[in-house]
Amino acid sequence: MPLHHHDSDQQTTAHVALVIFQVAQYWVALEARYVLAMTDQPQGLLKANAQTLLHADAPPHEQLPPDRWLTLNNRQRNDLTSTWQLGVNGDITLRQLPVTTMHPLPPLLQARRFTPALCGVAFDQHQLVLLLDARKLSP
Amino acid sequence: MSAEYSRDNQANDPPLATQTLEEALTTHSDTETEVDVDEPTQQLVLFRLNGQRFALPGRAVSEILPSDQPIYYVPGLPASTEGVLHLRGKIESVISLHQLLGLASPEGTANGMILLVNGAGLRSGVRIEQLDDVCNVTQSMLQPPPETLSSTLRPYVSALWQIDEGQALALLDPETLFGAYQQGLG
C-alpha cells in the first residue's frame, strides 16, 4: 500500500487512506485508491457480496442484503476499463489510518486463508479491521 | 544411665526384620532420583490438550500468555485458527493443534493459556487447555517414540517421557507441527 508522507516526522504521520465498511460483524477496509465509486444500486452485471467473498458467515438473522455498492477494477480481465461492484451493507467511511496500526497477516494465517485478498489487520481504537487487497478481489 | 541397650520391653514383640545401618541408609537415600549434573538436560513446557499430556521444548516457547489474553477472530480461515492477538504492538496468530494431532476439539469457548511458540522459522500462539509445569529433564529420560504410537501423532512427536508406569508424555516437535500446519494440515 502506498503511504502518504507528511513533511514532519515520517514515522508518526504516515497514513493510508482506507474505505472502511462492515461485513457481518467484522470491520473491513480497502485501500481508497482502488475504489472508483460508490452507488446505492448495482449498475453493472458483475457484482459480488462482500460477505461471501470474505467467507464471513453470519447467523441468518444477521445476514443483510447489500445496500451500497463499491465499484472496483476487474483485475482478472487485464482490462482496466472493466469494473465490477462489491456489495456491502451499512455505513461506508473514508478514513486515514496510521501505518503503525497496520500489520501483515501472520505467516501461518497467510498460508491458510481462504481469500487471497485478506492481507493484514489493523487496530483502530481497539477495534480489529481486516485489510483486503482490492487487486486480489474478483466477482 | 546404662550404656547397655535394654531389650526387656521388646520381649513379646514379633521379631523385626533387621538391616544394617548401611542398608537402611541406602534404602532411604535419594540415589534413584539423583540427577547427574554432567548429563545434558532439556527444559520442557508441560501442558495438556484434551486431557492428554504433551510438552514442547522450552527453547521453542518464548512466552506463556494468560487465558484472558484477548483474541480477535478473523473470518475466512480454518476452524483450527482462533484468530490473532495484539501483543506489545505486534500481531501473532493463535492456532489450535487438536485437529492436527487427531484430538477432539474442546467444546465451548477456548479458555486455556496460550504458548507463544517458535518453529519452522515462524512464530504463533498455540492454545493449550492446561499448563502443568516448566521443568528440566535429563536427556536419558526422553525415549524415542514407540512403534505403537498412533500414526496421527507420530510425525509430530520427537520423544516420549515415561513419567511413571501409568503416564507418558509426548514431546512435540514445533518444526514439524508448524511445517504441517503451513502446508494445510490440521
Side-chain angles (χ1 to χ4, degrees), chain B residues 108-122:
Chain B
T109 313
N111 57 3
M113 290 178 160
I114 296 163
L115 304 179
L116 211 52
V117 180
N118 302 286
L122 45 91

Side-chain angles (χ1 to χ4, degrees), chain A residues 6 12 17 25 27-28 32 34 44 47 58 61 64 68 74 78 90 92 114 129-130 137:
Chain A
H6 291 244
T12 54
Q25 64 268 48
W27 288 100
V28 180
Y34 293 121
K47 54 183 186 287
H61 66 278
L64 298 168
R68 303 275 195 285
N74 190 356
N78 288 329
I92 299 172
F114 300 152
V129 180
L130 306 170
L137 278 176

Side-chain angles (χ1 to χ4, degrees), chain A residues 26 54-56 103 106-109 111-114 118 121 123 126 128 130, chain B residues 72-73 75-78 81 84 86 89 91 93 122 124 181-182 184-186:
Chain A
Y26 313 105
L54 201 58
H55 299 266
H103 310 267
L108 277 188
L109 304 193
R112 301 294 301 271
R113 63 191 165 177
F114 300 152
L118 180 62
V121 295
F123 280 91
H126 303 290
L128 183 80
L130 306 170
Chain B
Y72 298 86
Y73 179 76
L77 289 161
T81 303
V84 295
H86 197 201
I91 294 293
S93 53
L122 45 91
S124 177
Y181 194 86
Q182 211 167 8
L185 300 176

